[in-house]
C-alpha cells in the first residue's frame, strides 16, 4: 500500500451535469502497461493519497487519505490514468443514487431516474463517456446495479479475488470493474486480482492470465435460466421478458440454455439481512472499515469517523435504519440472527454450487425493474426497496457475477446477470455477449440543466423527522414486533443491503442451519 510518485493535485469539477464527480485529477505514474492511457474513475470509498474522500457522507468532508489502496497502486503500475473520484451513496448504504451528501447522481439515459447504487457515479461516468472504466465496490449489488440501470458491464469478482482492505462488511465486500465494453472489463480483470497481505479476507486467490478469459473457442457453453430470479414481487414483466429473450439469443448462437430451479435463491435476501444489519455498523462506524486482529490499520480514517454520533442526524435514512435495526436485533436476539444467517450462507452457497456443478453459468435479471425515479421528499419507501433481491445473495456466497446490458425498454437499460463458479471469471468472460444491444445514445448530460425537476436531498430522521410520527413495527407475517422511538420510521427497508427486512422472520422461523454451534 505504498504511494507512487505522481502529480497529486486535484480540483472540484467545473462541469458536472450528472453530479457524478466528487473531485477530478489526472494521476499517472507510467506510460506503458495493459491499461496505458486508459482513464479510470475511483468510487469515492477508495483511498487515493492526497485526494479527498467523502464516501458519500457529510461527516467525512475534508478527510484526505495519506495512502493509496492496494488496487490503486496496481492500476497505476498498469499505466492507468486516475481521472478522479466518483460520487457514491452515503457510506455505500443504498441501491439508489439519491443518498449522497452532495446530492443525487442522475441516470445518463434519463436524468430524472436513478443511476443505481451504491457506486452511482461510476456507472454514470462510464456510460456518459467521461472515463473509460471505473473501479467500484459491491456489498449487495453496488457494481452490478449501477451497471444494469446505467447500461454498462459490471463484474463482481469472486470474494477475496480483488484486495479490499477497508471493508463495510468483510464477509460481503467485493471490488471490481465497471466498463463500457467486455474487452475493457477483461483488461481490468487482469490487473486487479492478486494476493495482498493487508487483506484479511483473502485465502489463496486463484488468478488466471488474460488470454484464458478472452479465448471463446472453448467447448459448448451451457447456461441455466434461474427460475427464482424472475417473477418476484418487484419484477417488471418487460424486464423479465427482455432477459429471457437475451437467453434465447444465446441459445441461437449455440449455447445450451434451459431453465433450472434453485429454491434457496428466494430466501437469499432474508439470509443477507441480519448479516448486513448486525455486521456492517460495528465495522463501519466503530472500526472505520478496518478489521480487528489484523496487522495494518489506517489511523486517519479512524480519527475521521470517531465522532460519528455528533453527525448522526446527517446520515441517510438507509444508514440509520441499518444501525438501528442491527442494534435492536442484537439486543433482542443476542447475536442469534447474525450467527444463524452466517451458517445458512453455507446452505445457500451449496445450492448454487450444485447447480453450477452441472452447468457453466446461471442467468437471471440483474435488477427486477428498470431504473426508478429519483425520489421526492414525499416518495413512499416502496419506490426505493426490493432492488437487490437477485444481486445480494451472491455477495453472501461469494460467486462471481456480471451484469451485461441486453436491452432498452422505455428508454432505460435492462441488464442480464451471469453467475459463475468461484474463481471462474474466465467462463463468464467467454460467455458474455460482446455485441451491445441497441440501447441508443444516453441523454446529453448537459441537457440536465434545463429539464430537471427538484428531487429530495438525502432523507434523514433526527431533526428532520416528524415529531408526531406514529410508532412503527418491524413486522412480517408471524414475526416479532420491534417497537421503535416515535421519531424513527422502520416500516420497510430503504437500502439494498437490507432488501428483505420488511418480511424478515424471527429466530424461530428461520430454516435450521447446519452446525449451529460452530460459527
Amino acid at each position: 500500500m505504498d504511494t507512487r510518485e505522481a502529480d497529486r493535485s486535484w480540483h472540484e469539477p467545473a462541469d458536472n451535469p450528472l453530479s457524478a464527480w466528487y473531485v477530478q485529477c489526472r494521476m499517472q505514474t507510467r506510460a506503458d502497461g495493459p491499461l496505458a492511457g486508459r482513464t479510470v474513475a475511483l468510487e469515492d470509498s477508495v483511498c487515493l493519497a492526497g485526494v479527498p474522500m467523502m464516501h458519500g457522507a457529510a461527516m467525512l468532508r475534508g478527510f484526505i487519505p495519506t495512502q493509496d489502496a492496494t488496487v490503486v497502486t496496481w492500476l497505476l503500475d498498469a499505466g492507468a490514468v486516475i481521472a478522479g473520484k466518483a460520487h457514491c451513496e452515503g457510506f455505500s448504504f443504498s441501491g439508489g443514487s439519491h443518498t449522497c451528501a452532495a446530492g443525487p447522481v442522475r441516470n445518463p439515459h434519463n436524468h430524472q431516474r436513478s443511476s443505481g447504487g451504491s457506486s452511482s457515479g461510476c456507472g454514470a461516468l462510464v456510460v456518459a463517456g467521461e472515463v473509460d472504466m471505473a473501479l467500484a465496490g459491491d456489498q449487495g449489488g453496488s457494481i452490478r446495479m449501477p451497471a444494469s440501470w446505467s447500461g454498462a458491464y459490471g463484474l463482481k469478482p469472486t470474494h477475496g479475488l480483488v484486495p479490499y482492505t477497508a471493508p463495510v462488511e468483510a464477509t460481503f465486500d467485493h471490488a471490481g470493474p465497471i466498463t463500457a465494453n467486455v474487452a475493457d472489463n477483461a483488461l481490468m480483470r487482469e490487473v486487479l486480482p492478486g494476493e495482498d497481505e493487508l487483506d484479511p479476507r483473502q485465502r489463496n486467490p486463484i488468478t488466471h492470465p488474460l488470454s484464458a478469459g478472452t479465448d471463446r473457442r472453448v467447448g459448448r457453453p451451457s447456461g441455466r435460466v434461474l427460475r427464482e430470479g424472475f417473477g418476484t414481487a418487484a419484477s417488471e414483466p418487460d424486464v423479465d421478458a427482455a432477459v429471457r429473450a437475451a437467453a434465447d439469443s444465446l441459445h441461437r448462437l449455440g449455447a445450451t440454455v434451459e431453465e433450472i430451479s434453485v429454491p434457496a435463491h428466494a430466501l437469499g435476501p432474508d439470509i443477507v439481512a441480519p448479516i448486513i444489519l448486525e455486521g456492517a455498523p460495528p465495522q463501519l462506524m466503530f472500526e472505520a472499515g478496518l478489521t480487528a486482529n489484523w496487522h495494518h490499520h489506517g489511523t486517519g480514517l479512524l480519527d475521521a469517523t470517531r465522532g460519528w454520533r455528533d453527525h448522526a442526524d446527517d446520515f441517510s435514512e438507509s444508514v440509520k435504519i441499518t444501525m438501528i435495526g442491527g442494534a435492536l436485533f442484537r439486543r433482542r436476539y443476542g447475536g442469534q440472527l447474525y450467527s444463524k444467517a452466517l451458517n445458512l450462507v453455507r446452505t445457500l452457497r451449496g445450492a448454487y454450487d450444485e447447480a453450477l456443478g452441472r452447468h457453466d453459468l446461471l442467468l437471471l435479471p440483474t435488477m427486477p425493474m428498470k431504473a426508478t425515479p429519483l425520489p421526492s421528499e414525499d416518495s413512499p419507501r416502496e419506490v426505493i426497496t426490493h432492488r437487490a433481491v437477485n444481486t445480494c445473495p451472491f455477495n453472501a456466497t461469494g460467486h462471481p457475477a456480471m451484469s451485461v446490458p441486453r436491452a432498452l425498454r422505455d428508454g432505460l437499460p435492462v441488464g442480464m446477470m451471469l453467475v459463475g463458479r468461484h474463481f471462474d471469471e474466465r467462463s463468464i468472460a467467454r460467455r458474455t455477449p460482446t455485441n451491445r444491444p441497441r440501447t441508443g445514445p444516453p441523454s446529453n448530460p448537459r441537457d440536465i440543466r434545463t429539464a430537471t425537476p427538484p428531487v429530495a436531498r438525502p432523507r434523514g430522521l433526527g431533526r428532520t423527522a416528524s415529531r408526531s410520527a406514529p410508532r412503527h413495527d418491524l413486522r412480517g407475517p408471524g414475526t416479532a414486533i420491534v417497537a421503535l422511538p416515535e421519531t424513527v420510521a422502520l416500516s420497510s427497508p430503504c437500502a439494498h443491503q437490507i432488501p428483505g427486512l420488511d418480511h424478515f422472520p424471527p429466530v424461530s422461523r428461520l430454516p435450521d442451519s447446519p452446525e449451529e454451534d460452530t460459527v
Side-chain angles (χ1 to χ4, degrees):
M1 195 179 279
D2 59 342
T3 301
R4 294 289 191 263
E5 290 296 327
D7 179 3
R8 298 275 165 173
S9 62
W10 57 272
H11 59 88
E12 295 183 355
D15 194 24
N16 196 19
L18 296 176
S19 298
W21 286 111
Y22 175 34
V23 295
Q24 292 177 301
C25 60
R26 186 170 179 83
M27 192 177 301
Q28 186 177 21
T29 59
R30 57 185 296 175
D32 60 343
L35 298 182
R38 303 295 182 96
T39 54
V40 179
L42 303 178
E43 180 184 334
D44 191 35
S45 60
V46 179
C47 287
L48 181 61
V51 178
M53 186 181 86
M54 186 173 68
H55 202 173
M59 183 182 78
L60 291 180
R61 278 198 176 106
F63 170 66
I64 298 180
T66 58
Q67 293 176 308
D68 288 337
T70 300
V71 284
V72 170
T73 299
W74 292 354
L75 287 170
L76 290 172
D77 285 348
V81 178
I82 306 299
K85 306 292 288 292
H87 276 311
C88 64
E89 299 308 290
F91 291 115
S92 297
F93 276 96
S94 175
S97 64
H98 61 283
T99 70
C100 179
V105 177
R106 303 180 185 278
N107 191 303
H109 290 268
N110 184 322
H111 301 145
Q112 285 75 50
R113 299 272 173 164
S114 171
S115 67
S118 62
S119 309
S120 42
C122 289
L125 290 173
V126 167
V127 173
E130 298 202 27
V131 291
D132 297 318
M133 49 189 67
L135 174 66
D138 194 312
Q139 293 81 31
S142 295
I143 289 173
R144 293 156 289 158
M145 294 160 75
S148 178
W149 276 5
S150 294
Y153 294 80
L155 173 67
K156 180 199 77 66
T158 302
H159 185 259
L161 180 63
V162 176
Y164 199 121
T165 46
V168 174
E169 211 291 327
T171 65
F172 273 65
D173 282 327
H174 302 69
I178 297 178
T179 62
N181 56 65
V182 177
D184 280 351
N185 209 279
L187 283 174
M188 286 195 78
R189 187 176 62 81
E190 172 79 353
V191 169
L192 294 174
E195 193 165 357
D196 176 17
E197 66 176 0
L198 303 180
D199 186 350
R201 308 164 316 123
Q202 291 188 319
R203 291 179 295 181
N204 300 319
I206 302 171
T207 61
H208 299 283
L210 180 63
S211 58
T214 54
D215 183 358
R216 295 175 172 268
R217 300 168 296 171
V218 183
R220 179 182 174 88
S222 65
R224 289 298 181 266
V225 174
L226 182 58
R227 182 181 304 159
E228 286 76 14
F230 298 78
T232 70
S235 294
E236 294 177 349
D238 59 343
V239 171
D240 281 356
V243 174
R244 287 190 180 277
D248 290 341
S249 68
L250 293 177
H251 178 69
R252 290 193 296 271
L253 292 173
T256 302
V257 180
E258 299 174 358
E259 188 168 287
I260 191 173
S261 176
V262 181
H265 178 77
L267 296 175
D270 293 319
I271 295 173
V272 165
I275 301 174
I276 290 293
L277 281 169
E278 296 189 41
Q283 189 160 15
L284 184 63
M285 294 301 176
F286 298 105
E287 300 176 13
L290 303 168
T291 304
N293 304 317
W294 202 246
H295 53 71
H296 175 86
H297 274 198
T299 57
L301 194 55
L302 283 169
D303 290 338
T305 57
R306 186 168 54 184
W308 66 265
R309 289 178 178 84
D310 297 332
H311 301 272
D313 284 333
D314 297 326
F315 291 170
S316 68
E317 193 173 71
S318 52
V319 171
K320 290 181 178 180
I321 286 177
T322 304
M323 297 185 72
I324 293 170
L328 285 170
F329 282 7
R330 188 166 290 276
R331 183 181 305 169
R332 177 166 293 236
Y333 299 115
Q336 292 185 57
L337 289 179
Y338 180 79
S339 298
K340 178 169 280 192
L342 283 175
N343 289 332
L344 285 169
V345 166
R346 296 201 296 275
T347 301
L348 182 63
R349 184 184 299 118
Y352 293 135
D353 285 344
E354 182 179 0
L356 288 165
R358 303 189 302 271
H359 314 290
D360 296 320
L361 301 171
L362 301 177
L363 291 73
L364 64 162
T366 307
M367 301 287 281
M369 76 289 284
K370 301 180 294 296
T372 55
L374 288 166
S376 61
E377 291 286 355
D378 57 353
S379 292
R381 288 195 183 96
E382 287 72 18
V383 305
I384 51 176
T385 60
H386 301 293
R387 291 170 166 156
V389 293
N390 281 341
T391 56
C392 71
F394 300 107
N395 287 80
T397 65
H399 290 88
M402 185 172 188
S403 183
V404 181
R406 294 318 300 151
L408 195 72
R409 296 292 181 266
D410 298 330
L412 297 169
V414 173
M416 175 177 68
M417 186 162 60
L418 305 178
V419 181
R421 306 178 189 97
H422 290 103
F423 299 107
D424 194 16
E425 284 77 6
R426 57 183 178 177
S427 285
I428 296 177
R430 286 171 181 157
R431 313 321 184 205
T432 300
T434 57
N435 60 311
R436 289 185 63 89
R438 289 192 207 172
T439 57
S443 305
N444 184 343
R446 276 81 195 160
D447 294 343
I448 200 169
R449 298 193 179 104
T450 59
T452 305
V455 296
R457 297 286 293 191
R459 191 166 53 172
L461 300 175
R463 287 189 294 266
T464 63
S466 170
R467 297 297 175 183
S468 60
R471 296 170 71 87
H472 290 265
D473 300 332
L474 179 60
R475 190 196 299 248
T479 62
I481 296 174
V482 180
L484 300 176
E486 63 182 7
T487 57
V488 178
L490 189 56
S491 58
S492 66
C494 67
H496 69 282
Q497 281 85 350
I498 47 176
L501 189 54
D502 52 348
H503 299 293
F504 190 75
V507 174
S508 61
R509 295 193 60 200
L510 278 173
D512 291 334
S513 57
E515 305 175 40
E516 289 194 79
D517 57 338
T518 59
V519 178

